[in-house]
PDB file of all heavy atoms in Angstrom:
ATOM      1  N   ILE C 404     -18.153  26.164  67.513  1.00 86.00           N
ATOM      2  CA  ILE C 404     -18.367  27.614  67.393  1.00 86.00           C
ATOM      3  C   ILE C 404     -19.563  28.048  68.219  1.00 86.00           C
ATOM      4  O   ILE C 404     -19.531  29.054  68.952  1.00 86.00           O
ATOM      5  CB  ILE C 404     -18.555  27.997  65.910  1.00 86.00           C
ATOM      6  CG1 ILE C 404     -17.223  27.852  65.157  1.00 86.00           C
ATOM      7  CG2 ILE C 404     -19.060  29.427  65.774  1.00 86.00           C
ATOM      8  CD1 ILE C 404     -17.338  28.080  63.668  1.00 86.00           C
ATOM      9  N   ASN C 405     -20.621  27.259  68.125  1.00 87.00           N
ATOM     10  CA  ASN C 405     -21.817  27.583  68.907  1.00 87.00           C
ATOM     11  C   ASN C 405     -21.553  27.410  70.400  1.00 87.00           C
ATOM     12  O   ASN C 405     -22.070  28.160  71.244  1.00 87.00           O
ATOM     13  CB  ASN C 405     -22.988  26.695  68.483  1.00 87.00           C
ATOM     14  CG  ASN C 405     -23.460  27.005  67.065  1.00 87.00           C
ATOM     15  OD1 ASN C 405     -23.352  28.166  66.635  1.00 87.00           O
ATOM     16  ND2 ASN C 405     -23.962  26.009  66.349  1.00 87.00           N
ATOM     17  N   ALA C 406     -20.725  26.395  70.730  1.00 87.00           N
ATOM     18  CA  ALA C 406     -20.444  26.135  72.156  1.00 87.00           C
ATOM     19  C   ALA C 406     -19.619  27.253  72.779  1.00 87.00           C
ATOM     20  O   ALA C 406     -19.700  27.505  73.990  1.00 87.00           O
ATOM     21  CB  ALA C 406     -19.718  24.798  72.302  1.00 87.00           C
ATOM     22  N   PHE C 407     -18.778  27.937  71.988  1.00 87.00           N
ATOM     23  CA  PHE C 407     -17.942  29.027  72.498  1.00 87.00           C
ATOM     24  C   PHE C 407     -18.550  30.396  72.193  1.00 87.00           C
ATOM     25  O   PHE C 407     -17.839  31.364  71.918  1.00 87.00           O
ATOM     26  CB  PHE C 407     -16.537  28.937  71.899  1.00 87.00           C
ATOM     27  CG  PHE C 407     -15.740  27.779  72.420  1.00 87.00           C
ATOM     28  CD1 PHE C 407     -15.483  26.662  71.632  1.00 87.00           C
ATOM     29  CD2 PHE C 407     -15.246  27.801  73.725  1.00 87.00           C
ATOM     30  CE1 PHE C 407     -14.751  25.598  72.128  1.00 87.00           C
ATOM     31  CE2 PHE C 407     -14.507  26.736  74.218  1.00 87.00           C
ATOM     32  CZ  PHE C 407     -14.259  25.621  73.421  1.00 87.00           C
ATOM     33  N   ASP C 408     -19.850  30.435  72.203  1.00 83.00           N
ATOM     34  CA  ASP C 408     -20.533  31.689  71.945  1.00 83.00           C
ATOM     35  C   ASP C 408     -20.094  32.724  72.981  1.00 83.00           C
ATOM     36  O   ASP C 408     -20.144  32.468  74.190  1.00 83.00           O
ATOM     37  CB  ASP C 408     -22.047  31.476  72.017  1.00 83.00           C
ATOM     38  CG  ASP C 408     -22.807  32.716  71.587  1.00 83.00           C
ATOM     39  OD1 ASP C 408     -22.199  33.555  70.893  1.00 83.00           O
ATOM     40  OD2 ASP C 408     -23.986  32.836  71.949  1.00 83.00           O
ATOM     41  N   GLY C 409     -19.610  33.864  72.514  1.00 80.00           N
ATOM     42  CA  GLY C 409     -19.140  34.915  73.416  1.00 80.00           C
ATOM     43  C   GLY C 409     -17.642  34.964  73.535  1.00 80.00           C
ATOM     44  O   GLY C 409     -17.080  35.982  73.955  1.00 80.00           O
ATOM     45  N   ASP C 410     -16.959  33.874  73.150  1.00 86.00           N
ATOM     46  CA  ASP C 410     -15.490  33.859  73.186  1.00 86.00           C
ATOM     47  C   ASP C 410     -14.996  34.121  71.765  1.00 86.00           C
ATOM     48  O   ASP C 410     -14.805  33.190  70.959  1.00 86.00           O
ATOM     49  CB  ASP C 410     -14.996  32.514  73.710  1.00 86.00           C
ATOM     50  CG  ASP C 410     -13.488  32.539  73.979  1.00 86.00           C
ATOM     51  OD1 ASP C 410     -12.792  33.365  73.341  1.00 86.00           O
ATOM     52  OD2 ASP C 410     -13.016  31.716  74.779  1.00 86.00           O
ATOM     53  N   GLU C 411     -14.787  35.383  71.415  1.00 85.00           N
ATOM     54  CA  GLU C 411     -14.467  35.765  70.040  1.00 85.00           C
ATOM     55  C   GLU C 411     -13.135  35.185  69.568  1.00 85.00           C
ATOM     56  O   GLU C 411     -12.966  34.847  68.403  1.00 85.00           O
ATOM     57  CB  GLU C 411     -14.443  37.288  69.917  1.00 85.00           C
ATOM     58  CG  GLU C 411     -15.804  37.929  70.131  1.00 85.00           C
ATOM     59  CD  GLU C 411     -15.747  39.437  69.947  1.00 85.00           C
ATOM     60  OE1 GLU C 411     -14.640  39.957  69.655  1.00 85.00           O
ATOM     61  OE2 GLU C 411     -16.810  40.090  70.072  1.00 85.00           O
ATOM     62  N   THR C 412     -12.175  35.087  70.485  1.00 88.00           N
ATOM     63  CA  THR C 412     -10.856  34.561  70.089  1.00 88.00           C
ATOM     64  C   THR C 412     -10.966  33.116  69.624  1.00 88.00           C
ATOM     65  O   THR C 412     -10.452  32.740  68.549  1.00 88.00           O
ATOM     66  CB  THR C 412      -9.866  34.650  71.256  1.00 88.00           C
ATOM     67  OG1 THR C 412      -9.751  36.004  71.663  1.00 88.00           O
ATOM     68  CG2 THR C 412      -8.499  34.119  70.847  1.00 88.00           C
ATOM     69  N   LYS C 413     -11.639  32.300  70.431  1.00 86.00           N
ATOM     70  CA  LYS C 413     -11.787  30.885  70.067  1.00 86.00           C
ATOM     71  C   LYS C 413     -12.648  30.733  68.811  1.00 86.00           C
ATOM     72  O   LYS C 413     -12.368  29.902  67.944  1.00 86.00           O
ATOM     73  CB  LYS C 413     -12.401  30.104  71.222  1.00 86.00           C
ATOM     74  CG  LYS C 413     -11.465  29.996  72.424  1.00 86.00           C
ATOM     75  CD  LYS C 413     -12.106  29.228  73.549  1.00 86.00           C
ATOM     76  CE  LYS C 413     -11.141  29.122  74.744  1.00 86.00           C
ATOM     77  NZ  LYS C 413     -11.756  28.399  75.879  1.00 86.00           N
ATOM     78  N   GLN C 414     -13.707  31.547  68.736  1.00 84.00           N
ATOM     79  CA  GLN C 414     -14.567  31.463  67.553  1.00 84.00           C
ATOM     80  C   GLN C 414     -13.790  31.862  66.283  1.00 84.00           C
ATOM     81  O   GLN C 414     -13.998  31.291  65.213  1.00 84.00           O
ATOM     82  CB  GLN C 414     -15.789  32.354  67.736  1.00 84.00           C
ATOM     83  CG  GLN C 414     -16.831  31.763  68.672  1.00 84.00           C
ATOM     84  CD  GLN C 414     -18.105  32.597  68.690  1.00 84.00           C
ATOM     85  OE1 GLN C 414     -18.063  33.817  68.483  1.00 84.00           O
ATOM     86  NE2 GLN C 414     -19.215  31.937  68.951  1.00 84.00           N
ATOM     87  N   ASP C 415     -12.877  32.858  66.429  1.00 86.00           N
ATOM     88  CA  ASP C 415     -12.074  33.273  65.266  1.00 86.00           C
ATOM     89  C   ASP C 415     -11.182  32.130  64.785  1.00 86.00           C
ATOM     90  O   ASP C 415     -11.060  31.873  63.587  1.00 86.00           O
ATOM     91  CB  ASP C 415     -11.221  34.486  65.645  1.00 86.00           C
ATOM     92  CG  ASP C 415     -10.413  34.995  64.462  1.00 86.00           C
ATOM     93  OD1 ASP C 415     -11.019  35.282  63.415  1.00 86.00           O
ATOM     94  OD2 ASP C 415      -9.168  35.072  64.580  1.00 86.00           O
ATOM     95  N   TYR C 416     -10.543  31.453  65.732  1.00 85.00           N
ATOM     96  CA  TYR C 416      -9.715  30.291  65.358  1.00 85.00           C
ATOM     97  C   TYR C 416     -10.561  29.223  64.666  1.00 85.00           C
ATOM     98  O   TYR C 416     -10.157  28.628  63.657  1.00 85.00           O
ATOM     99  CB  TYR C 416      -9.032  29.711  66.606  1.00 85.00           C
ATOM    100  CG  TYR C 416      -7.916  30.573  67.147  1.00 85.00           C
ATOM    101  CD1 TYR C 416      -7.701  30.666  68.534  1.00 85.00           C
ATOM    102  CD2 TYR C 416      -7.065  31.272  66.302  1.00 85.00           C
ATOM    103  CE1 TYR C 416      -6.679  31.455  69.055  1.00 85.00           C
ATOM    104  CE2 TYR C 416      -6.052  32.059  66.816  1.00 85.00           C
ATOM    105  CZ  TYR C 416      -5.862  32.143  68.174  1.00 85.00           C
ATOM    106  OH  TYR C 416      -4.857  32.923  68.658  1.00 85.00           O
ATOM    107  N   LEU C 417     -11.699  28.953  65.266  1.00 86.00           N
ATOM    108  CA  LEU C 417     -12.563  27.905  64.694  1.00 86.00           C
ATOM    109  C   LEU C 417     -13.077  28.302  63.300  1.00 86.00           C
ATOM    110  O   LEU C 417     -13.180  27.453  62.409  1.00 86.00           O
ATOM    111  CB  LEU C 417     -13.739  27.627  65.633  1.00 86.00           C
ATOM    112  CG  LEU C 417     -13.369  26.934  66.961  1.00 86.00           C
ATOM    113  CD1 LEU C 417     -14.557  26.908  67.900  1.00 86.00           C
ATOM    114  CD2 LEU C 417     -12.877  25.506  66.690  1.00 86.00           C
ATOM    115  N   ASN C 418     -13.374  29.573  63.108  1.00 84.00           N
ATOM    116  CA  ASN C 418     -13.833  30.019  61.784  1.00 84.00           C
ATOM    117  C   ASN C 418     -12.729  29.861  60.741  1.00 84.00           C
ATOM    118  O   ASN C 418     -12.977  29.529  59.591  1.00 84.00           O
ATOM    119  CB  ASN C 418     -14.278  31.486  61.853  1.00 84.00           C
ATOM    120  CG  ASN C 418     -15.687  31.618  62.418  1.00 84.00           C
ATOM    121  OD1 ASN C 418     -16.550  30.777  62.156  1.00 84.00           O
ATOM    122  ND2 ASN C 418     -15.929  32.680  63.207  1.00 84.00           N
ATOM    123  N   ARG C 419     -11.453  30.127  61.160  1.00 85.00           N
ATOM    124  CA  ARG C 419     -10.345  29.931  60.219  1.00 85.00           C
ATOM    125  C   ARG C 419     -10.214  28.452  59.822  1.00 85.00           C
ATOM    126  O   ARG C 419      -9.963  28.125  58.667  1.00 85.00           O
ATOM    127  CB  ARG C 419      -9.039  30.413  60.842  1.00 85.00           C
ATOM    128  CG  ARG C 419      -8.987  31.922  61.018  1.00 85.00           C
ATOM    129  CD  ARG C 419      -7.646  32.339  61.621  1.00 85.00           C
ATOM    130  NE  ARG C 419      -7.616  33.781  61.890  1.00 85.00           N
ATOM    131  CZ  ARG C 419      -6.560  34.418  62.378  1.00 85.00           C
ATOM    132  NH1 ARG C 419      -5.451  33.725  62.647  1.00 85.00           N
ATOM    133  NH2 ARG C 419      -6.611  35.737  62.596  1.00 85.00           N
ATOM    134  N   ILE C 420     -10.411  27.590  60.846  1.00 87.00           N
ATOM    135  CA  ILE C 420     -10.364  26.147  60.555  1.00 87.00           C
ATOM    136  C   ILE C 420     -11.507  25.774  59.606  1.00 87.00           C
ATOM    137  O   ILE C 420     -11.331  24.988  58.663  1.00 87.00           O
ATOM    138  CB  ILE C 420     -10.449  25.329  61.856  1.00 87.00           C
ATOM    139  CG1 ILE C 420      -9.215  25.594  62.727  1.00 87.00           C
ATOM    140  CG2 ILE C 420     -10.576  23.844  61.559  1.00 87.00           C
ATOM    141  CD1 ILE C 420      -9.316  24.970  64.121  1.00 87.00           C
ATOM    142  N   LEU C 421     -12.674  26.371  59.846  1.00 83.00           N
ATOM    143  CA  LEU C 421     -13.843  26.081  59.009  1.00 83.00           C
ATOM    144  C   LEU C 421     -13.611  26.497  57.564  1.00 83.00           C
ATOM    145  O   LEU C 421     -13.941  25.769  56.625  1.00 83.00           O
ATOM    146  CB  LEU C 421     -15.074  26.804  59.588  1.00 83.00           C
ATOM    147  CG  LEU C 421     -16.427  26.423  58.973  1.00 83.00           C
ATOM    148  CD1 LEU C 421     -16.726  24.946  59.233  1.00 83.00           C
ATOM    149  CD2 LEU C 421     -17.538  27.299  59.548  1.00 83.00           C
ATOM    150  N   VAL C 422     -12.991  27.681  57.381  1.00 78.00           N
ATOM    151  CA  VAL C 422     -12.679  28.155  56.015  1.00 78.00           C
ATOM    152  C   VAL C 422     -11.673  27.222  55.342  1.00 78.00           C
ATOM    153  O   VAL C 422     -11.801  26.874  54.156  1.00 78.00           O
ATOM    154  CB  VAL C 422     -12.139  29.602  56.061  1.00 78.00           C
ATOM    155  CG1 VAL C 422     -11.584  30.002  54.694  1.00 78.00           C
ATOM    156  CG2 VAL C 422     -13.236  30.556  56.494  1.00 78.00           C
ATOM    157  N   SER C 423     -10.652  26.786  56.099  1.00 80.00           N
ATOM    158  CA  SER C 423      -9.644  25.879  55.519  1.00 80.00           C
ATOM    159  C   SER C 423     -10.271  24.551  55.110  1.00 80.00           C
ATOM    160  O   SER C 423      -9.941  23.987  54.056  1.00 80.00           O
ATOM    161  CB  SER C 423      -8.519  25.640  56.535  1.00 80.00           C
ATOM    162  OG  SER C 423      -7.823  26.837  56.803  1.00 80.00           O
ATOM    163  N   CYS C 424     -11.185  24.059  55.949  1.00 82.00           N
ATOM    164  CA  CYS C 424     -11.874  22.805  55.588  1.00 82.00           C
ATOM    165  C   CYS C 424     -12.719  22.992  54.336  1.00 82.00           C
ATOM    166  O   CYS C 424     -12.793  22.110  53.485  1.00 82.00           O
ATOM    167  CB  CYS C 424     -12.747  22.352  56.758  1.00 82.00           C
ATOM    168  SG  CYS C 424     -11.812  21.678  58.145  1.00 82.00           S
TER     169      CYS C 424
END
Side-chain angles (χ1 to χ4, degrees):
I404 290 175
N405 292 329
F407 289 107
D408 187 20
D410 189 335
E411 294 182 0
T412 301
K413 292 180 180 179
Q414 284 187 330
D415 182 55
Y416 288 144
L417 291 171
N418 279 324
R419 291 181 184 182
I420 295 172
L421 190 63
V422 170
S423 296
C424 287

